[in-house]
């Protein structure tokens, strides 16, 4: 057992090194490092791939949420309903825009926001629902569209885990007013550092976002807005364009691994989340299982050289910095329960068939008295 090589969670390789190095040296040699043709080219390519008119490259996914919200006119006095079961950046983006996050509970079968809980969170100050396509899942988008329309709310999508996920022919981020993407190195499309973007069909929103990312500048030396510095840089943009070519096949590879996990993992101590309605609804950023015996299962995997992670062990409302956030009056019990049971297995594209088999065998051999 101990001689087997480790099964890594991520390998940080999105394309061949040659493509990356070509892209990087081209930019460095050009001497144009900020807001030039590489950023424009990636924005065009990403907008086209998502099927929207505009993509605006930004520094990271957190900034994408802040800049998108501000460009959409959401700020002080406005409430934005979102999920506590997400990367903390989702909630920080709302706070940084000056708005008030309100946390609704999740559906325990999917770990995604529960529409009934969101309904309970709506107040006269509610302006938007920020959906998180957690783990890469897109579900019930017609339900969310209808809920937002009938309550006069803006639908916004956190797509940081959902590159290339499609629901009823529409890509993640195109159902809402805007979609916020992260290209953090371990995301399904990752840069060689921090990077992010918003996508939208709202041209005015896109223009405001372009201004906000560059000190709130309209024309050179004129600053009608209090902006920030959140410019996607030319090197990251060039690498992202190079890596975009392989995204489809890497997403396929994730799907093949996950399909094996879904059909071959069988252990009464382990529960899987609901499968997607259609395979393309899921970008398979993470493969998450539930177990009452998480510490023991992760140790059992580690003894067999298999890494696992937890997304996420602490829901947003239990973070020290975020205690006291407004929430569903019925509580956030499903999110708390999920946080205590979830475990993510390796499913990134670097995983070989043999490695996937090792993961499956190890999970199936795990023995626990706590069953579902
Ligand atoms: C990664 C992530 C973010 C933040 O992206 P950064 O680029 O790290 O700022 C936001 N939301 C979700 C759901 C994420 O997974």
């Amino acid at each position: 057992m101990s001689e087997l090589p480790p099964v890594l969670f991520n390998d940080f390789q999105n394309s061949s090194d040659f493509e990356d190095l070509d892209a990087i040296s081209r930019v460095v040699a050009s001497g144009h490092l900020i807001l030039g043709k590489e950023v424009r080219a990636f924005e065009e390519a990403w907008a086209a791939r998502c099927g929207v008119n505009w993509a605006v490259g930004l520094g990271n996914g957190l900034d994408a949420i802040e800049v998108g919200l501000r460009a959409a006119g959401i700020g002080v006095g406005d409430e934005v309903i979102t999920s506590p079961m997400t990367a903390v950046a989702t909630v920080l983006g709302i706070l940084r825009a000056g708005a008030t996050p309100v946390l609704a509970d999740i559906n325990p079968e999917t770990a995604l926001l529960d529409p009934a809980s969101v309904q309970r969170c709506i107040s006269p100050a509610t302006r938007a629902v920020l959906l998180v396509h957690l783990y890469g899942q897109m579900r019930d988008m017609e339900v969310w569209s209808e809920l937002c329309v009938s309550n006069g709310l803006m639908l916004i999508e956190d797509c940081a885990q959902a590159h290339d996920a499609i629901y009823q022919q529409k890509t993640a981020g195109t159902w809402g007013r805007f979609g916020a993407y992260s290209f953090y190195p371990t995301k399904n499309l990752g840069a060689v550092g921090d990077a992010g973007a918003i996508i939208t069909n709202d041209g005015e929103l896109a223009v405001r976002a372009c201004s906000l990312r560059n000190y709130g500048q309209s024309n050179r030396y004129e600053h009608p807005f209090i902006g920030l510095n959140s410019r996607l840089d030319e090197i990251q943009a060039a690498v992202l364009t190079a890596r975009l070519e392989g995204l489809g096949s890497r997403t396929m590879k994730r799907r093949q691994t996950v399909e094996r996990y879904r059909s071959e993992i069988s252990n009464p101590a382990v529960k899987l989340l609901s499968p997607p309605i259609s395979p393309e609804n899921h970008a398979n950023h993470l493969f998450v299982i539930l177990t009452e015996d998480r510490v023991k299962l992760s140790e059992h995997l580690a003894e067999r050289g298999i890494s696992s992670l937890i997304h996420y062990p602490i829901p947003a409302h239990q973070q020290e910095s975020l205690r006291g956030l407004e929430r569903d009056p019925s509580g956030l019990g499903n999110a708390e329960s999920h946080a205590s049971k979830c475990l993510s297995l390796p499913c990134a594209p670097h995983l070989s068939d043999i490695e996937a088999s090792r993961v499956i065998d190890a999970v199936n051999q795990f023995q626990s008295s706590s069953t579902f």
Side-chain angles (χ1 to χ4, degrees):
M1 240 186 271
S2 52
E3 304 102 63
L4 288 174
V7 179
L8 301 176
F9 199 85
N10 286 303
D11 73 348
F12 299 96
Q13 297 284 311
N14 274 322
S15 73
S16 87
D17 293 340
F18 296 115
E19 288 166 9
D20 286 355
L21 292 177
D22 280 353
I24 292 167
S25 52
R26 179 175 78 237
V27 174
V28 174
S30 81
H32 197 145
L33 298 167
I34 302 286
L35 291 187
K37 66 178 198 293
E38 301 288 350
V39 168
R40 276 198 301 281
F42 175 67
E43 288 172 338
E44 274 171 29
W46 190 241
R49 188 170 187 104
C50 295
V52 289
N53 292 336
W54 309 99
V56 178
L58 298 162
N60 54 69
L62 165 59
D63 286 357
I65 294 168
E66 175 188 350
V67 167
L69 286 170
R70 290 181 61 191
I74 291 180
V76 176
D78 298 331
E79 291 180 359
V80 178
I81 300 172
T82 197
S83 172
M85 182 44 60
T86 182
V88 74
T90 308
V91 178
L92 297 181
I94 299 170
L95 286 167
R96 285 244 317 260
T100 304
V102 179
L103 302 176
D105 207 4
I106 60 168
N107 175 338
E109 305 298 323
T110 63
L112 301 181
L113 269 181
D114 170 19
S117 176
V118 168
Q119 286 280 2
R120 289 193 291 273
C121 292
I122 295 175
S123 84
T126 309
R127 290 285 310 283
V129 175
L130 174 44
L131 270 192
V132 181
H133 299 311
L134 191 72
Y135 308 147
Q137 311 172 84
M138 285 184 85
R139 289 182 196 268
D140 301 327
M141 295 307 295
E142 66 278 39
V143 173
W144 292 109
S145 287
E146 163 60 23
L147 184 148
C148 287
V149 167
S150 61
N151 289 282
L153 306 176
M154 206 182 281
L155 179 62
I156 295 163
E157 301 171 68
D158 179 339
C159 310
Q161 302 188 357
H163 310 74
D164 267 0
I166 295 173
Y167 190 89
Q168 292 176 357
Q169 279 95 56
K170 291 177 71 176
T171 301
T174 67
W175 284 78
R177 181 70 59 89
F178 71 88
Y181 279 90
S182 164
F183 306 110
Y184 182 83
T186 59
K187 306 293 189 190
N188 286 23
L189 178 63
V192 286
D194 278 309
I198 59 162
I199 61 165
T200 185
N201 277 316
D202 180 337
E204 286 174 20
L205 190 155
V207 167
R208 276 193 298 274
C210 284
S211 165
L212 285 170
R213 75 174 168 189
N214 195 23
Y215 318 135
Q217 174 172 286
S218 51
N219 297 304
R220 199 168 205 183
Y221 306 124
E222 290 173 24
H223 302 267
F225 307 111
I226 296 183
L228 53 159
N229 176 348
S230 185
R231 301 175 293 230
L232 176 64
D233 74 68
E234 290 280 288
I235 288 178
Q236 301 304 340
V239 168
L240 286 167
T241 303
R243 290 179 172 190
L244 194 48
E245 208 176 312
L247 177 60
S249 60
R250 289 195 308 276
T251 303
M252 255 335 171
K253 189 78 199 337
R254 288 176 183 272
R255 190 181 297 167
Q256 284 160 6
T257 301
V258 163
E259 276 168 6
R260 282 197 62 199
Y261 284 174
R262 285 205 164 274
S263 65
E264 296 176 46
I265 289 178
S266 168
N267 185 328
V270 168
K271 190 180 156 179
L272 309 187
L273 298 180
S274 294
I277 308 293
S278 168
E280 81 266 12
N281 299 163
H282 204 319
N284 296 302
H285 176 60
L286 295 168
F287 185 80
V288 173
I289 61 175
L290 302 175
T291 167
E292 303 278 355
D293 235 349
R294 180 166 66 196
V295 174
K296 272 212 247 144
L297 177 51
S298 66
E299 283 168 6
H300 169 90
L301 294 172
E303 281 161 15
R304 287 154 184 77
I306 298 166
S307 41
S308 60
L309 291 172
I310 302 174
H311 302 88
Y312 294 89
I314 307 175
H317 61 290
Q318 293 180 335
Q319 292 292 346
E320 193 180 329
S321 56
L322 299 175
R323 294 226 176 99
L325 284 187
E326 288 185 56
R327 65 190 74 172
D328 181 345
S330 304
L332 301 171
N334 291 336
E336 287 163 13
S337 165
H338 183 86
S340 71
K341 294 180 192 151
C342 59
L343 187 69
S344 309
L345 302 179
C347 72
H350 69 284
L351 220 67
S352 68
D353 283 349
I354 292 169
E355 289 177 315
S357 299
R358 279 176 58 195
V359 174
I360 292 162
D361 292 344
V363 172
N364 289 346
Q365 283 156 10
F366 177 60
Q367 295 195 342
S368 164
S369 51
S370 348
T371 57
F372 278 92

